[in-house]
Amino acid sequence: MGTQGRKIVDTDVKDLVILLNKAYSDEWLAYYQYWVGSKIVKGPNKEAVIAELTLHATEELAHATLLTTRIIQLGGTPVIEPKEWYKLTNCGYEAPSDPFIVKILEQNIKGEQCAIKTYNALMKKTRDKDMVSYNMFLTILTQEVEHEEDLQALLEDVEIIMKNK
Ligand SMILES: [Fe+2]
Ligand SMILES: [Fe+2]
């Protein structure tokens, strides 16, 4: 029971826990989208893309861990029923139904762009109100910005390879 830790939060804790659970749902869906995408992806520069998708999956899961720690610190309960992820998600889930490398990269870039917007908004909401959550959102946002950059660079490489064939 982190009573003092909770007392210093200068915003509605219940509302904040809902927002944290929404981001938590995003992270699990992002984890699975990357993970399953890495298993089925096909096309040029596949090895480099598989390595990046696998790394991103690991990092999305680490974000879920950070979020669940904060949810529990604030007296909340992380989503315990995966069906709820679909109801709570901000960014949704795009099934990689087409395993072509360009399609998978594009879907994941879209997901990262949504994550960047989500964490940027969460930072604005908690700024000067909940420094611990704010700092965690900054850590996650920094990684989502890296993810977008990594995927766009890979997509550029794939497009160059395809052009020169
Ligand atoms: Fe993430
Ligand atoms: Fe990400």
Side-chain angles (χ1 to χ4, degrees), residues 2 4 10 14 16 19 36 45 48-49 51 65 69 76-77 79 82 94 97 105 111 120 123 127 135-137 141 154:
Q4 189 59 35
D10 187 20
K14 272 198 181 137
L16 183 58
L19 295 175
V36 78
N45 208 24
V49 171
T65 305
T69 302
T77 307
V79 176
E94 286 214 35
S97 45
L105 286 171
N120 193 46
M123 284 190 73
R127 188 180 187 153
N135 188 51
M136 176 193 65
F137 293 141
L141 177 62
L154 278 170

Side-chain angles (χ1 to χ4, degrees), residues 152-165:
Q152 285 182 332
L154 278 170
L155 183 57
E156 240 178 76
D157 292 347
V158 169
E159 282 166 350
I160 290 169
I161 293 168
M162 290 194 310
K163 224 184 267 171
N164 291 306
K165 264 197 171 168

Side-chain angles (χ1 to χ4, degrees), residues 46-114:
K46 193 172 96 163
E47 293 312 315
V49 171
I50 290 173
E52 201 65 44
L53 298 180
T54 306
L55 174 67
H56 287 198
T58 312
E59 289 174 343
E60 307 305 1
L61 197 54
H63 298 164
T65 305
L66 287 172
L67 288 159
T68 194
T69 302
R70 189 65 187 137
I71 289 166
I72 290 164
Q73 278 176 359
L74 291 173
T77 307
V79 176
I80 51 166
E81 171 57 78
K83 271 190 286 191
E84 295 291 314
W85 295 342
Y86 267 85
K87 291 183 201 154
L88 290 168
T89 177
N90 301 290
C91 297
Y93 175 80
E94 286 214 35
S97 45
D98 182 346
F100 182 42
I101 210 153
V102 170
K103 286 279 153 50
I104 292 210
L105 286 171
E106 282 173 351
Q107 282 179 327
N108 287 316
I109 288 167
K110 202 172 141 204
E112 291 299 341
Q113 289 173 339
C114 179

Side-chain angles (χ1 to χ4, degrees), residues 27 60 63 140 144:
E27 294 295 351
E60 307 305 1
H63 298 164
I140 300 176
E144 309 301 15

